[in-house]
Each structure stands twice: as structure tokens, then as C-alpha cells.
Amino acid sequence: MKLVKSLILGSAAALMAVGGAQAADLPVKAKAVEYVKVCSLYGPGFYYIPGTDTCIKLGGYLRADVVVNGNSVYGPNYNGAGGANNRFTNGYTWRSREDLNIDTRTATEYGVVRTYFDAVFTWTSDTYAANGAGGSVYSSIGGVQAPNNANAGAVAGGTVGVYYAFIQFAGFTIGKAVSQFAAPWTGYPGNNFDALVGGVNTTTGVNQFTYTAQFGNGVSLALSAQDQVQYSQAGVNNLSAGGAYGTSDYAGTIAPDLIASLKVEQAWGLFQASFAAHDNHAAYYGALGELSGHPDDKWGWAGALALSIKNIPTGPGDTINVQGVYTDGATRYNIQDLASQAGAIAIFGGSSLPGVYQSVGFGTAPDTVFVAGGQQQTIKTWGMRGAYTHNWDPYWNSSIYGAYAAIMYNDTSKTLICGVGGVGGTFRTAFGGGAGVTSCNPDYNIAQLGFITRWTPVKNLTFSADVTYTHLDQKYAGTITTSSAAIGKPTATYELKDQDTVMLLLRAQRNW
């Protein structure tokens, strides 16, 4: 009996010791677990940041592009190695890109405070160019002769870019956001091709300080001061600096572009009228700097009308988007930054004219031109763009689109560039006197026509093919003697002639 009692007491003591140890290991009070909660205030995809009243949404896309018959993504063969139309012209150019955007919103007594950030991580194949000694170099790094630069460590094709980074509060937009001048539809009229003339794109934001007043019933007015340096400057060309069209001669920044935009958005679609004032601020006439003197500032302007019609009778979701623009000393509001190649054209092609090597077409569209001792002469342009998009079914849609721009120099500018009576002028001087030029006129027109088809087999995954044809209608005639060693063009006689080019853009994109 005594033995049994001892065993029972010992076991109880052991159990108490174990239980005490386990109790000592437990926390005094368990912390509450914070779960991520759905935020339904601003639409699908928003969640509360744990511990805050701020909602956040993550988004983006992964995209792979191949451009056929193009040396850049997504620009056509308008100049450089692309415009050469020879063995330096790429049969294809490849690009892969990841986009990440972060949208945060917080309700306050002053309304919603919003921040938005959109960045892109890109890898793009590049192009070779001649080095003048019988070899070629990869243009992104320069100075390294092929094939020694054919390794990943030497090719600087990867880039990081910021599309948007802005704050919105109480009607104000501050930071890098869509230009208030841009057409109000998302992206382009109906295409993937970046280089359409006839208006401003919404792909890349621009630094701005904007106030938007809402009047109700879909009517709003935006007043904006916008940075002009990155995307709005087409050139203030000093013809005295040499070359056929001179050299851009900017001074420091003085005034931002001033923009007003009236928008009406209804169930049927939307309408927008935009106006921009643009200061052209040139530096000095010559190498002596301040002693050389300078031209006065010249304010330019641009005006545009845009219209989007939704759900037209041809089918559910079908749309028509059109835009028209006129500029005077503000060329980038027509030939926008992603279409900048259309403002500096040098396309080479064939020729059937006896005694010539090949043909070439020129087109240059700055904001102003001037000579030493003279004032800035503004370049005028007008343009239009549009697209019709038809949905065949929930998985397929197609768009036909087009654009047109006309570039016009005034009489003073034409005299400076072409001379008087067939002699003088910067264009003729640049080509050894230009004795073969029978018609000298820097005006030109550019027309673009395209067709795109998209297939979306599952939600947010789209494959597309976009083909674009471009025609350059330049006003020069006759022949010139020129060369361009960087793209393999020898010193020879070239016919001045209109040019054509075509490009195909193939894309796969997964949105998330």
C-alpha cells in the first residue's frame, strides 16, 4: 500500500511539473491577427493596407513585341539605319517588357487623396551601324566592333522607365501624368503603333501642375502648367550653325507650356477641346555666346478637337475615335514625342533616273528656325488621326486606322533654307551648292494607314498583329550629292523623291 501511494504521488508531481513548464511557454496574451480586407470604395482589385485606412491596388502587364522591318520599337524606318534600306536595316527588332503600377487612395475630409506610380522594365535588341573602317558597332554601346560586342555583358539593351508618378488631391494633379492636351481615349485611337502623327499620345506622362474643375453631367475643365523640355520641344534651329536645317539651339527653361482642356463625357462617348501655349526660348547666335546676341522669345500655340463615339450600330463595343490638330510654333502637339522620327525624316530608296545612285526623301519639322541677327520663324502644321474598331465576337476585334500631317514653312524660312533664284540657302549649301535641285521647298506631308487584329482567347491575354504603311510626300525635286558613312551610304548622286515604308508589329500581352 505504501508503494502504491508513493507511485501515485510521484506521478502527480511529474504531471504538475510538465504542466507548469507548458504553461510557462504560453504567451500571456495572444496578439490579434490582422487580415487583408477588400476595399470596395474604388472598384475591384483594391485592398486595405493592414492597420491603415488607405486602399491599394497592384496591376501591370508583361509584353513581348517583335517589329518586322524596323530598327526601333515601335518606330518605323524613317531615318538612320532604318531609313537606309540596306544591310544595316533590321529585318526585325525584339522587345520584352514588364509594367508595374501601384494605385493608392485614402478618403479624407477634402476628398480622396490618390497616388499613382507606373514603371516599366524593358529589354530591347538594338541595331548595328558602320564604324567607318569596314566594320560595324552595336549602336547602344558604340565603339565596340562586332562580333566582340555580341555578348550580354556588352549590350546595354535593358532600361528602366517611369511612365507615371503623380498625386491627386482636391482637384489638383501634381507630378508625371497624362498630358491634359492628349486625346481622352485610353492609349491610341485603335492601334498599337506608337508613331502616329496628328495628335498627342497618353502612353508616357509629363510633369505638370493641373487643376480640374468638375461642373457635373460629365463636363470638366482642366488648367495646366506642363513641363515642355522632355516631350514638347521639336527644335529651335539656328540655320547659321550649319547643315541643311541648322542645329537646335535651346537656352535654359523659362516658361512651362500652358494648357486648357474642356471635356464632355456622356453615355454616347466624349468630346474634348484642347489649347496649348508654348514658349520657344533660343540661346545665342554664335560661338561668342553673350557677345553674339540672341533672337527674342517666340510663343507658339496648338489647338485640337477630339471625338469618341461608343457603341455604334455596327456592334456592341464598337467605337470611332477621331482627332484634329493645328500648330504654329508648337510642332510636338501634332508630331508627338513618340512620332518624333516623323519630324526628322531621311528615307533612302531606289531610283530609275539615269546617272544617279539611289533616291532620298527629306522632311524636318522644328518649332522655329532663325539665322544670326534674325528672329525666330515659326513652323506651322496641321494633322488628324482616327480609327474605327469592330468587335467580331468576345474574342476577336479589328481596327482600321490612319493619320496625316502637313508641315508648312513661311516665305522667310523658305528663303533662308532654299535661297533666292536657285542660289544660296542652307539646304543647297549643305549639298555642295545644290546645283541639281530643280525645286527647293522644305514643306512635306506624311500619311499613315494601318490595320490591327487582336485575339483574346482568355481574359487579359491578347495576341495582336499591327501593320502600318507610311508615305512621305516631300516637295524637293532634282538631285543632290551627299553621303552618310554611318549607314553605309557612299558619296554619290541621289534623286530627291517621295518615299514609302511598311512595318509589322506582333505582340503578346498578359495583363494582371
Side-chain angles (χ1 to χ4, degrees):
M1 215 33 209
K2 195 172 183 179
L3 179 61
V4 172
K5 185 177 179 181
S6 298
L7 289 172
I8 293 173
L9 290 173
S11 299
L15 289 170
M16 289 178 67
V18 171
Q22 290 176 340
D25 290 341
L26 291 174
V28 176
K29 184 178 180 181
K31 294 183 179 179
V33 178
E34 292 188 359
Y35 295 96
V36 176
K37 297 183 295 184
V38 172
C39 174
S40 58
L41 297 175
Y42 311 111
F46 281 91
Y47 296 86
Y48 283 101
I49 299 175
T52 75
D53 58 355
T54 297
C55 299
I56 188 170
K57 180 180 180 180
L58 303 178
Y61 62 79
L62 194 145
R63 173 189 296 171
D65 291 323
V66 176
V67 171
V68 180
N69 193 40
N71 281 59
S72 65
V73 184
Y74 314 94
N77 287 338
Y78 288 173
N79 51 37
N85 287 311
N86 62 10
R87 294 182 68 85
F88 290 116
T89 304
N90 285 353
Y92 69 89
T93 300
W94 217 309
R95 169 174 288 178
S96 297
R97 167 173 288 174
E98 170 65 32
D99 177 278
L100 170 66
N101 57 71
I102 305 171
D103 192 346
T104 71
R105 306 189 193 191
T106 307
T108 74
E109 61 269 30
Y110 299 99
V112 175
V113 176
R114 182 191 185 196
T115 67
Y116 188 83
F117 173 75
D118 189 356
V120 290
F121 306 85
T122 304
W123 182 270
T124 307
S125 61
D126 212 324
T127 182
Y128 287 96
N131 68 358
S136 60
V137 296
Y138 216 52
S139 65
S140 64
I141 54 173
V144 181
Q145 187 170 343
N148 297 328
N149 58 344
N151 61 78
V155 180
T159 59
V160 177
V162 175
Y163 278 169
Y164 305 112
F166 62 83
I167 299 170
Q168 287 182 319
F169 173 68
F172 291 95
T173 299
I174 307 167
K176 195 170 189 286
V178 172
S179 171
Q180 302 302 316
F181 192 91
W185 49 74
T186 302
Y188 310 132
N191 52 290
N192 289 341
F193 176 69
D194 274 341
L196 279 190
V197 297
V200 176
N201 289 342
T202 61
T203 298
T204 305
V206 57
N207 285 326
Q208 62 188 268
F209 184 88
T210 299
Y211 178 74
T212 303
Q214 302 287 345
F215 299 108
N217 200 29
V219 180
S220 63
L221 174 66
L223 302 175
S224 180
Q226 173 179 297
D227 175 38
Q228 66 162 251
V229 175
Q230 188 66 38
Y231 303 120
S232 301
Q233 294 181 331
V236 287
N237 285 14
N238 185 350
L239 299 175
S240 298
Y245 295 96
T247 301
S248 194
D249 190 12
Y250 279 109
T253 57
I254 293 295
D257 286 4
L258 304 176
I259 296 174
S261 178
L262 177 66
K263 184 188 297 183
V264 179
E265 188 167 2
Q266 307 285 344
W268 54 263
L270 50 84
F271 168 80
Q272 179 174 296
S274 305
F275 177 84
H278 173 78
D279 180 39
N280 293 294
H281 183 60
Y284 299 103
Y285 287 133
L288 295 178
E290 294 177 356
L291 297 178
S292 303
H294 61 81
D296 297 334
D297 281 19
K298 188 78 171 183
W299 278 86
W301 63 274
L305 299 175
L307 177 68
S308 179
I309 304 174
K310 301 178 181 178
N311 298 318
I312 58 179
T314 55
D318 289 7
T319 58
I320 295 177
N321 295 324
V322 292
Q323 181 182 21
V325 62
Y326 183 88
T327 73
D328 184 356
T331 301
R332 278 287 178 265
Y333 289 97
N334 182 353
I335 301 176
Q336 42 88 15
D337 59 290
L338 296 179
S340 60
Q341 291 177 317
I345 299 177
I347 304 175
F348 289 84
S351 175
S352 58
L353 189 67
V356 304
Y357 177 69
Q358 289 179 348
S359 65
V360 63
F362 290 115
T364 296
D367 289 319
T368 68
V369 297
F370 64 93
V371 293
Q375 297 299 330
Q376 296 185 73
Q377 306 296 317
T378 59
I379 310 304
K380 297 177 175 62
T381 79
W382 68 268
M384 59 187 299
R385 54 163 62 171
Y388 163 62
T389 300
H390 174 63
N391 293 282
W392 303 100
D393 58 35
Y395 308 102
W396 291 88
N397 74 40
S398 299
S399 297
I400 183 169
Y401 63 90
Y404 186 88
I407 291 80
M408 301 164 289
Y409 290 70
N410 65 19
D411 290 341
T412 300
S413 300
K414 290 179 179 178
T415 299
L416 296 174
I417 293 171
C418 292
V420 179
V423 296
T426 58
F427 184 85
R428 296 178 185 275
T429 302
F431 298 109
V437 178
T438 58
S439 176
C440 185
N441 184 349
D443 293 353
Y444 70 97
N445 306 320
I446 182 168
Q448 299 162 320
L449 181 65
F451 181 79
I452 181 173
T453 291
R454 301 177 180 90
W455 176 45
T456 305
V458 297
K459 185 179 180 181
N460 294 329
L461 175 64
T462 301
F463 302 92
S464 60
D466 187 355
V467 61
T468 310
Y469 163 79
T470 299
H471 174 69
L472 169 66
D473 173 24
Q474 54 101 59
K475 306 303 180 182
Y476 294 112
T479 62
I480 58 172
T481 299
T482 188
S483 66
S484 184
I487 56 175
K489 296 297 178 181
T491 301
T493 300
Y494 295 82
E495 179 188 8
L496 293 163
K497 183 182 176 182
D498 296 350
Q499 302 291 336
D500 302 281
T501 185
V502 65
M503 187 194 79
L504 173 65
L505 172 60
L506 303 174
R507 171 176 295 174
Q509 180 166 318
R510 169 72 161 94
N511 296 334
W512 57 275

